[in-house]
Amino acid sequence: MSKEQPVYITSRQIRHRYGDVSHMWIERRIADDPDFPKPVYFGPRRHWLLAALETWERVKAAKNGAATAA
């Protein structure tokens, strides 16, 4: 029985994932979006749990879909 290890990604990987957004884009999500996953620190470097980001994406897409359907 093998248990999958959590996957963490860096700020650079997040910026690339969301279309080469700026560092400030991440800072704004952290400050302004209470649903955006909080970073985990490994030493001085920030990482995000990939599964948490994927959940945030699904919730955001569902909210946007509900808003356009109304």
Side-chain angles (χ1 to χ4, degrees):
M1 179 175 12
S2 73
K3 197 172 189 179
E4 288 189 38
Q5 295 295 319
V7 175
Y8 292 93
I9 63 174
T10 64
S11 295
R12 180 177 291 183
Q13 290 170 313
I14 286 179
R15 291 195 323 262
H16 180 72
R17 180 180 184 91
Y18 297 113
D20 293 320
V21 296
S22 69
H23 168 76
M24 199 61 191
W25 183 91
I26 296 172
E27 297 302 320
R28 287 186 185 121
R29 296 294 85 65
I30 292 170
D32 298 339
D33 186 345
D35 297 326
F36 190 75
K38 301 299 180 216
V40 176
Y41 289 86
F42 297 130
R45 297 187 184 260
R46 297 186 301 183
H47 293 77
W48 280 261
L49 186 61
L50 181 58
L53 287 165
E54 291 170 341
T55 299
W56 174 76
E57 292 166 3
R58 283 192 299 274
V59 168
K60 186 175 175 184
K63 285 181 183 177
N64 287 342
T68 57

